[in-house]
Amino acid sequence: FRRVLFRSVAGSLNLFGQKQNDENILAYKINATGRFADDYSAPSGNVGDSAHTSVTSGKVFNSGAQEFDASGIVGYKTQSGIYKFKYSHFGQKYFIAPKPGRREVELNIHTNNYDTLPAAPSQEIMHERAELSANIPTSLARYELSGVFQYNSRKEEGVKESEEDEIYKEEHGIKPEVKLDLLTFSLNAKAHHLPLGNLFGTIGVSTNVQMNSTLGQKAIIPNYDATNIAAFVYEEYKLLEHLRLTGGFRFDTRNLSVEKNEVDSLPPFSKQKLNYSAATGTAGISFQPIEEFAISFNYGNGWRSPTASELYTYGIDEGTVRFKIGNAALIPELSHNIDVTAKYNSRLLYAEFSVYQNSIQDYIYLQPTTLNISGFTTYQYTQTNATLKEIG
């Protein structure tokens, strides 16, 4: 047991309320939280099983964190439907204790020289999300419509510098060590149709567009645009009083366009366009002979195409202390899953037994290698078959 000491300050603020007029209701809720943590302190001792890696008593250099989060929602309910606007902000900066003796080359904005300084890596992450949605009932169906905008920014630096120096660099166009900006636009539409005899379900379409910009001195991943379009239908049919059948079908298409690499920190490759598509489905049956007992069986298959990060990453991930290498030869994952569940629920007893198995073909994962780059163990994306099982 090792006692660790640190100073941390946190706080939060919540505001909410509503106004009702006849059958119309306007409601809102706002939340904000903040946290600051100083470098933590630890006693002297060895780390792990190695007697050669020791920690000196006192503060652990570059181990603090800062965070500020905020969210808000405004909802309006009328006879025609429910309309909502949601907004959220996530902002976090955390500092990563470096490997002893590690040093980084950094531009000194006061002397315009490059200095070799003790490494003090940090990651600054910001995520903004805004969503406008509507839930509209009609005589034929209940419609769910939504549009989402997201902005994600990730910045990494190798040494400590003041907030004033960071602002000065941004104002004068001096790039940070790593800077990734990702814009995402999503549109979704679902129609929950009214029962057609004993048949009821949902029909929907969705689209997702992403644009990634690599703005730092080191690229890690290239600039890319990705477009996803999907259409699906899911239906439930009441065959008998206690027997129901379910089934669904989905078709996805994904286009990934990667710009030609012109950054020295990435391996050379030309402009590429990758196209993926797949049809997936699910089917199930449930039987409930009495109110307290039910048993169900479901089968489904799934699909996931590799991301730009898995295909083209090349660089240090300070957050995981790894040098990651992508694999342009990756192909989409395919999965087949089976789920059997039996439940008994009465006033005196609840019991459940389930069997689940998911077999994934060409599962994508990070594998450690024997290669060492810049003092970091390297991990490369690769593929294998995998099986997940659960009984209980």
Side-chain angles (χ1 to χ4, degrees):
F1 175 75
R2 293 171 57 86
R3 187 166 62 95
V4 176
L5 301 176
F6 63 95
R7 292 182 298 175
S8 178
V9 178
S12 64
L13 174 68
N14 292 278
L15 296 173
F16 56 90
Q18 72 174 37
K19 182 179 179 181
Q20 186 168 355
N21 181 16
D22 296 330
E23 296 184 0
N24 301 330
I25 299 176
L26 177 66
Y28 68 91
K29 183 178 180 180
I30 301 173
N31 172 267
T33 61
R35 182 177 71 91
F36 169 83
D38 197 5
D39 289 350
Y40 63 80
S41 298
S44 300
N46 296 326
V47 177
D49 298 327
S50 174
H52 302 289
T53 306
S54 61
V55 175
T56 303
S57 176
K59 285 190 175 181
V60 177
F61 172 67
N62 206 57
S63 59
Q66 304 166 11
E67 184 174 328
F68 176 75
D69 308 324
S71 63
I73 179 172
V74 177
Y76 186 58
K77 181 179 180 180
T78 69
Q79 289 184 330
S80 64
I82 300 175
Y83 307 89
K84 296 179 182 179
F85 174 75
K86 298 179 183 178
Y87 168 80
S88 64
H89 165 88
F90 172 81
Q92 182 187 68
K93 183 174 184 178
Y94 60 94
F95 304 90
I96 304 164
K99 184 178 180 180
R102 179 182 166 192
R103 302 182 72 82
E104 290 280 341
V105 176
E106 184 75 13
L107 173 65
N108 187 326
I109 61 174
H110 304 288
T111 64
N112 205 33
N113 295 323
Y114 284 90
D115 298 334
T116 301
L117 304 171
S122 64
Q123 279 195 350
E124 187 172 344
I125 301 170
M126 182 177 69
H127 190 87
E128 311 274 358
R129 187 181 190 275
E131 177 183 1
L132 185 63
S133 64
N135 194 320
I136 304 172
T138 70
S139 58
L140 297 177
R142 178 174 62 85
Y143 297 97
E144 287 186 59
L145 310 172
S146 69
V148 180
F149 166 77
Q150 298 182 78
Y151 168 65
N152 184 277
S153 174
R154 171 185 164 188
K155 183 170 72 171
E156 291 185 1
E157 293 288 7
V159 300
K160 268 193 173 179
E161 55 188 3
S162 67
E163 192 72 24
E164 291 76 14
D165 285 355
E166 287 191 17
I167 295 173
Y168 177 90
K169 284 187 173 182
E170 290 182 3
E171 291 177 345
H172 290 78
I174 301 173
K175 295 180 179 181
E177 188 170 318
V178 174
K179 181 73 159 62
L180 302 174
D181 281 1
L182 179 65
L183 295 177
T184 304
F185 303 88
S186 304
L187 294 174
N188 302 281
K190 297 179 183 179
H192 307 276
H193 65 78
L194 296 179
L196 302 173
N198 291 333
L199 182 70
F200 54 94
T202 302
I203 301 172
V205 295
S206 65
T207 182
N208 180 283
V209 177
Q210 289 188 317
M211 294 175 286
N212 178 77
S213 299
T214 296
L215 306 173
Q217 300 173 35
K218 299 178 181 179
I220 297 183
I221 58 174
N223 296 334
Y224 70 84
D225 296 337
T227 302
N228 300 268
I229 301 174
F232 64 91
V233 58
Y234 182 82
E235 298 291 332
E236 184 170 334
Y237 183 72
K238 187 176 180 181
L239 184 62
L240 299 172
E241 181 64 27
H242 304 292
L243 186 64
R244 296 195 177 196
L245 305 178
T246 59
F249 175 82
R250 179 183 174 104
F251 180 78
D252 289 81
T253 180
R254 183 171 190 255
N255 302 311
L256 178 63
S257 177
V258 183
E259 292 187 9
K260 178 182 178 181
N261 173 48
E262 297 178 347
V263 181
D264 292 339
S265 59
L266 282 176
F269 56 81
S270 58
K271 185 174 182 179
Q272 300 181 30
K273 287 189 176 181
L274 303 176
N275 300 308
Y276 305 97
S277 62
T280 55
T282 181
I285 182 171
S286 62
F287 180 56
Q288 188 174 8
I290 59 175
E291 183 178 351
E292 295 82 5
F293 177 75
I295 185 170
S296 62
F297 170 85
N298 294 281
Y299 165 81
N301 64 340
W303 167 87
R304 187 182 77 87
S305 63
T307 65
S309 176
E310 294 165 338
L311 291 165
Y312 302 110
T313 289
Y314 190 86
I316 299 170
D317 184 340
E318 297 283 5
T320 59
V321 197
R322 294 173 172 178
F323 193 105
K324 295 181 178 179
I325 302 175
N327 184 348
L330 296 176
I331 60 177
E333 297 177 344
L334 300 175
S335 67
H336 301 272
N337 60 82
I338 297 174
D339 179 13
V340 181
T341 302
K343 294 182 180 180
Y344 181 84
N345 187 11
S346 70
R347 188 166 55 89
L348 301 176
L349 176 66
Y350 175 81
E352 179 179 339
F353 179 79
S354 63
V355 177
Y356 173 80
Q357 177 173 306
N358 188 12
S359 301
I360 306 173
Q361 181 181 339
D362 298 314
Y363 174 71
I364 299 172
Y365 71 103
L366 271 173
Q367 183 181 54
T369 75
T370 57
L371 186 65
N372 188 287
I373 300 179
S374 302
F376 289 84
T377 301
T378 60
Y379 288 74
Q380 183 168 30
Y381 285 99
T382 187
Q383 292 185 286
T384 190
N385 295 334
T387 300
L388 305 176
K389 294 181 180 180
E390 181 179 353
I391 300 176

